[in-house]
């Protein structure tokens, strides 16, 4: 009964009942629970069942903890636990709780330890809130680190400014590198980058900070001290000054994101200039040039092409096709060109007839090559052979015309070669891979036509008596060896070899330059008309007052009926390999005329399928 309670217990209970915080007494060696209303709230669904119960029975889930408390308290010791984590069942099942616990012994009238006075402050909500805050802060820190990493290793120049003075609070690696590694963090832009003062940049930042409107700069020229030495260097930049708003309203700073486009702008201007030069070169070429597709549509052409066929630029826009340019007899030749383009990517120059807008016909020499990276577009070059064909029938008049016409064609073709070389070597600026491929295609086609023009010119000069030799006493062994060395790679690519033992002391009175070309021509023919894996044999010997050179191949051979006309002008002999070998029918004609000018001779022995031997005799 209450009357039997010690006065100290009554006093302690009175204190507890008047307190607003949870207080519980553990009385006696069993730790009988006596508590206030605040503790009842803490106990939850376990109240009032646990009032007056033994501590270990009231909270069986923490019985060991309470035994320790009772033992220590009755021994006169105080205990204090801060944010003690325990698992309690307060009528809602087991739950984790955190508490600040303070235990003090209660003495009876005799001064003995009779119980324990406990103050219980639950900190579960605070602990959980702190935990959530730490987790949120960890997530925020992780995201910030990710963002810093992204910013720092971004190829763009990124910086953050704060306040109306635009003080740097962050600059990524690229930005710091741009400004020469200067210490800019914590400094206003005007002091950190003094070279920007007076350029309008500071005023742009002021405007962004004042209005809250972003500023976008496009290809602006800005001088920057890139080395930190005070020496500025020009640059062209695209950039954004983006205002940063605090609480969604107040401007607190500016985000800078910039990219240097100096090289891109420079390259674009150079490409535009290169294109202008290419277009001018394309349109002013004396050779008719057109871009077409394999369906026969003419997509683009130069002025020479339109003049040659009698059409206008407006006709081209409306639509020109190969059918409109072909004669009925030349349709088959057109199909062969398309087949060659499909198989090899190019079509060797061939003669065929064309039709103008007014219905008149003319002969033309046409070559073509596929445009790189295109499956159906090609570039074609057409040389008008009208006058050349007419002059075939009049020997001397024709030869004179060919000499004049060839010279006139060679000069612009040589100029075209030089200009193409300048562009290909990128002496006027870098080119894109596609532009380079276009120019190389044009250069190769121009080179082939230049070779044809040179052959025509040389032939005409010889025929009109205008060709002069430069006679020198020449070591023939060395000359032949030099020619073979120049052709070794070609022979190697065809898996062919040559057999030649240069003799000592064999000299001839010749023009070494022209005879070298003659020998090269015969060797080239021997290689082109021989299968892979074959051998070309050369023998140089003295023959009285002549030097005799025999060149023997293992090729397709020349039929008996064709051997008499092999040295005729514009003659190409039909054989098993002639369809795959290019030529204009002037090579051997020119070789014979050069040999004749030396008062020498050239002959041949040949059998179909067993090869051909050319015998050259020149004055010793």
């Amino acid at each position: 009964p209450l009357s039997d309670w010690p006065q100290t217990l009554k006093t302690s209970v009175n204190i507890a009942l008047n307190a607003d915080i949870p207080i519980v007494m553990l009385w006696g060696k069993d730790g009988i629970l006596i508590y206030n209303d605040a503790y009842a709230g803490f106990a939850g669904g376990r109240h009032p069942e646990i009032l007056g119960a033994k501590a270990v029975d009231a909270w069986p889930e923490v019985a060991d903890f309470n035994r320790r408390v009772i033992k220590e308290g009755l021994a006169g010791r105080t205990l204090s636990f801060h944010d003690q984590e325990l698992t309690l069942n307060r009528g809602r099942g087991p739950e984790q709780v955190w508490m600040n616990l303070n235990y003090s012994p209660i003495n009876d009238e005799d001064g003995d330890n009779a119980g324990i006075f406990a103050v219980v402050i639950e900190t579960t909500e605070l602990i959980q809130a702190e935990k959530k805050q730490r987790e949120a802060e960890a997530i925020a820190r992780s995201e910030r680190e990710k963002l810093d990493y992204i910013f720092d290793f971004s190829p763009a120049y990124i910086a953050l400014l704060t306040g109306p003075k635009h003080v740097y609070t962050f600059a990524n690696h690229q930005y710091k590198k741009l400004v020469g590694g200067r210490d800019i963090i914590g400094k206003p832009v005007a002091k950190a980058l003094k070279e920007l003062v007076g350029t309008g940049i500071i005023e742009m930042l002021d405007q962004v900070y004042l209005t809250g409107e972003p500023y976008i700069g496009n290809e602006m020229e800005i001088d920057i001290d890139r080395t930190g030495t005070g020496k500025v260097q020009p640059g062209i930049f695209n950039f954004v000054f983006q205002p940063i708003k605090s609480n969604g309203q107040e401007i607190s700073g500016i985000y800078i994101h910039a990219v240097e486009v100096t090289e891109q702008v420079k390259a674009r201007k150079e490409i535009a200039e290169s294109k202008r030069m290419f277009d001018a070169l394309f349109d002013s070429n004396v050779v008719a040039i057109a871009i077409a597709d394999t369906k026969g549509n003419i997509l683009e052409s130069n002025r020479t092409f339109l003049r040659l066929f009698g059409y206008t630029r407006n006709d081209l826009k409306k639509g020109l096709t190969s059918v409109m340019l072909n004669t009925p007899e030349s349709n088959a030749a057109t199909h062969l060109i398309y087949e060659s383009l499909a198989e090899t990517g190019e079509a060797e120059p061939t003669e065929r007839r064309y039709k103008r807008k007014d219905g008149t016909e003319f002969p033309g020499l046409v070559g073509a090559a596929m445009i790189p990276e295109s499956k159906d577009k090609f570039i074609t070059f057409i040389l008008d052979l009208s006058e050349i064909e007419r002059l075939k029938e009049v020997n001397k008049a024709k030869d004179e015309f060919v000499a004049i016409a060839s010279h006139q064609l060679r000069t612009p073709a040589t100029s075209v070669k030089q200009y193409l070389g300048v562009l290909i070597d990128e002496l006027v600026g870098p080119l894109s891979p596609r532009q380079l491929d276009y120019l190389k295609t044009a250069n190769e086609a121009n080179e082939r036509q230049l070779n044809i023009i040179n052959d025509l010119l040389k032939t005409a000069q010889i025929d009109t008596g205008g060709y002069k030799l430069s006679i020198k006493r020449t070591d023939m062994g060395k000359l032949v060896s030099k020619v073979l060395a120049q052709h070794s790679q070609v022979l190697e690519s065809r898996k062919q070899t040559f057999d030649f033992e240069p003799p000592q002391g064999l000299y001839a009175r010749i023009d070494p330059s022209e005879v070298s070309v003659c020998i090269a021509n015969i060797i080239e023919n021997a290689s082109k008309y021989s299968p892979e894996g074959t051998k070309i044999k050369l023998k140089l010997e003295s023959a009285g007052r002549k030097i005799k050179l025999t060149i023997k191949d293992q090729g397709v051979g020349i039929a008996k009926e064709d051997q008499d006309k092999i040295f005729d002008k514009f003659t190409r002999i039909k054989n098993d390999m002639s369809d795959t070998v290019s030529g204009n029918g002037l090579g051997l004609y020119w070789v014979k005329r050069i040999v004749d000018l030396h008062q020498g001779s050239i002959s041949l022995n040949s059998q179909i399928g067993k090869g051909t031997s050319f015998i050259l005799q020149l004055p010793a």
Side-chain angles (χ1 to χ4, degrees):
L2 186 60
S3 58
D4 294 338
W5 286 13
Q7 185 57 43
T8 53
L9 176 59
K10 292 177 182 179
T11 302
S12 297
V13 171
N14 187 54
I15 293 172
L17 292 175
N18 288 291
D20 294 328
I21 60 174
I23 297 176
V24 60
M25 272 72 66
L26 288 73
W27 191 256
K29 59 184 177 62
D30 291 326
I32 303 300
L33 299 185
I34 303 170
Y35 50 81
N36 64 0
D37 290 340
Y39 188 88
F42 165 79
R46 303 294 284 271
H47 173 76
E49 177 185 344
I50 63 173
L51 183 61
K54 296 178 180 180
V56 295
D57 295 333
W59 301 103
E61 60 269 34
V62 290
D64 289 342
F65 181 82
N66 282 331
R67 288 191 186 98
R68 177 194 169 194
V69 168
I70 294 170
K71 180 180 178 181
E72 295 292 328
L74 294 180
R77 287 186 283 271
T78 60
L79 295 174
S80 181
F81 300 93
H82 182 72
D83 292 331
Q84 174 66 45
E85 181 181 359
L86 296 173
T87 301
L88 300 179
N89 186 347
R90 295 188 281 189
R92 297 186 299 270
E95 59 180 318
Q96 278 184 302
V97 296
W98 285 264
M99 296 169 288
N100 290 337
L101 303 172
N102 292 282
Y103 298 97
S104 301
I106 302 173
N107 298 329
D108 59 15
E109 281 77 0
D110 296 328
D112 295 327
N113 298 314
I116 301 161
F117 187 90
V119 178
V120 180
I121 306 297
E122 185 173 359
T123 60
T124 301
E125 291 184 1
L126 179 61
I127 293 297
Q128 290 177 338
E130 289 177 349
K131 181 180 179 183
K132 288 181 180 179
Q133 183 177 354
R134 287 195 299 272
E135 290 174 349
E137 289 175 350
I139 292 172
R141 187 165 53 253
S142 176
E143 293 302 316
R144 177 59 186 265
E145 288 173 355
K146 290 179 183 177
L147 194 59
D148 287 348
Y149 180 85
I150 292 171
F151 279 177
D152 210 35
F153 289 93
S154 169
Y157 308 120
I158 296 174
L160 297 178
L161 309 177
T162 187
K165 296 294 185 181
H166 319 305
V167 176
Y168 283 104
T169 58
F170 172 82
N172 72 345
H173 175 75
Q174 285 295 98
Y175 197 99
K176 293 175 181 177
K177 183 179 178 181
L178 174 67
V179 299
R182 284 176 280 175
D183 183 15
I184 61 175
I185 304 301
K187 298 178 181 178
V189 173
K191 290 185 178 180
L193 305 180
K194 295 179 180 179
E195 67 269 25
L196 297 184
V197 176
T199 64
I201 296 296
I202 308 299
E203 291 75 12
M204 293 175 194
L205 292 171
D206 290 340
Q207 187 70 13
V208 172
Y209 193 86
L210 180 65
T211 65
E213 296 294 328
Y215 184 91
I216 299 175
N218 185 42
E219 295 185 3
M220 285 193 61
E221 293 188 15
I222 302 173
D223 291 338
I224 292 287
D225 178 1
R226 299 172 185 261
T227 60
T229 60
K231 183 179 180 181
V232 297
Q233 298 177 32
I236 302 175
F237 299 85
N238 290 340
F239 61 86
V240 176
F241 294 160
Q242 180 69 42
I244 300 172
K245 296 183 179 181
S246 298
N247 302 321
Q249 296 296 328
E250 184 180 352
I251 307 300
S252 62
I254 297 174
Y255 167 76
I256 297 176
H257 188 282
V259 178
E260 184 167 8
V261 293
T262 305
E263 293 303 320
Q264 293 91 319
V265 172
K266 181 180 178 182
R268 188 181 69 234
K269 291 180 179 179
E270 291 175 348
I271 289 172
E273 178 64 14
S274 297
K275 183 178 183 302
R276 186 189 66 76
M277 295 180 64
F278 176 78
D279 290 344
L281 182 66
F282 176 80
D283 212 37
S284 62
N285 203 305
V286 295
V287 177
I289 305 173
I291 296 174
D293 62 31
T294 50
K295 294 180 180 179
N297 300 304
I298 310 301
L299 307 177
E300 185 56 86
S301 76
N302 64 354
R303 287 195 295 264
T304 305
F305 183 94
L306 294 174
R307 284 198 300 266
L308 179 60
F309 286 93
Y311 288 99
T312 65
R313 183 65 61 181
N314 194 43
D315 292 328
L316 179 63
K317 291 179 180 179
K318 291 180 179 178
L320 290 180
T321 67
S322 60
V323 174
M324 300 166 66
L325 311 179
N326 290 340
T327 64
E329 297 80 11
S330 62
N331 285 327
T334 299
H335 289 305
L336 290 176
I337 290 174
Y338 288 160
E339 289 176 3
S340 180
L341 287 172
E343 292 174 3
T344 66
E346 62 179 29
E348 293 292 337
T350 56
E351 288 189 41
R352 49 161 296 172
R353 297 195 69 77
Y354 285 101
K355 180 177 64 177
R356 297 187 178 91
K357 184 178 181 180
D358 61 9
T360 59
E361 297 182 5
F362 70 93
L365 183 68
V366 58
M370 292 298 295
I371 293 174
E373 299 180 9
S374 175
K375 296 181 179 179
D376 63 344
K377 295 180 181 62
F378 62 92
I379 187 167
T380 183
F381 305 84
I382 301 173
L383 183 65
D384 184 4
L385 298 180
S386 300
E387 292 302 313
I388 295 175
E389 183 180 70
R390 184 178 68 82
L391 292 176
K392 281 183 182 179
E393 302 173 2
V394 186
N395 290 335
K396 184 176 180 179
K398 168 194 165 296
D399 292 335
E400 292 174 348
F401 173 81
V402 170
I404 296 171
S406 298
H407 180 75
Q408 293 297 320
L409 289 171
R410 185 171 184 254
T411 300
T414 301
S415 297
V416 168
K417 177 180 179 180
Q418 292 172 344
Y419 279 112
L420 285 173
V422 169
L423 291 175
I424 290 171
D425 291 338
E426 299 185 323
L427 296 179
V428 295
L431 300 170
S432 68
R434 189 170 186 180
Q435 287 177 322
L436 191 58
D437 286 337
Y438 276 134
L439 290 172
K440 286 183 177 179
T441 299
N443 190 50
E444 290 169 0
N446 186 73
E447 192 69 25
R448 288 194 293 270
Q449 296 202 56
L450 191 58
N451 290 336
I452 293 172
I453 292 169
N454 286 335
D455 288 345
L456 289 171
L457 182 59
K458 288 182 180 179
T459 301
Q461 288 176 326
I462 289 176
D463 288 345
T464 56
Y467 202 85
K468 304 299 181 182
L469 299 177
S470 179
I471 302 299
K472 296 179 181 178
R473 188 169 181 267
T474 303
D475 186 330
M476 288 299 294
K478 291 182 179 180
L479 184 140
V480 173
S481 296
K482 183 177 179 181
V483 173
L484 289 174
Q486 293 169 347
H487 288 75
S488 60
Q489 289 187 349
V490 174
L491 293 175
E492 185 177 346
S493 68
R494 295 170 180 162
K495 299 179 181 179
Q496 297 170 339
T497 58
F498 57 82
D499 183 1
F500 175 62
E501 292 291 334
Q504 300 294 321
L506 281 184
Y507 288 83
R509 293 184 56 77
I510 59 171
D511 183 324
S513 176
E514 299 302 337
V515 171
S516 292
V517 176
C518 291
I519 296 171
N521 188 290
I522 296 172
I523 291 173
E524 286 173 1
N525 282 341
S527 174
K528 288 192 293 187
Y529 289 100
S530 297
E532 289 188 356
T534 55
K535 180 180 292 187
I536 300 172
K537 294 183 178 180
L538 296 93
K539 184 178 181 181
L540 191 60
E541 55 189 327
S542 177
R545 301 180 65 180
K546 301 284 186 183
I547 298 298
K548 179 180 176 182
L549 173 64
T550 303
I551 303 173
K552 178 177 175 55
D553 64 47
Q554 297 174 329
V556 294
I558 303 170
K560 186 76 173 176
E561 60 270 22
D562 292 327
Q563 293 180 14
D564 291 335
K565 54 186 178 183
I566 192 71
F567 297 108
D568 291 347
K569 193 188 304 182
F570 300 113
T571 296
R572 295 196 66 203
I573 303 303
K574 195 75 175 176
N575 57 47
D576 292 343
M577 298 183 71
S578 59
D579 290 338
T580 61
V581 175
S582 62
N584 53 33
L586 291 174
L588 288 175
Y589 171 79
W590 183 80
V591 169
K592 187 175 189 311
R593 292 304 307 271
I594 290 295
V595 172
D596 289 344
L597 285 177
H598 281 86
Q599 296 181 347
S601 66
I602 183 170
S603 58
L604 66 94
N605 294 316
S606 184
Q607 285 184 277
I608 294 295
K610 295 187 177 180
T612 301
S613 294
F614 280 89
I615 300 95
L616 216 64
Q617 296 198 65
L618 297 166

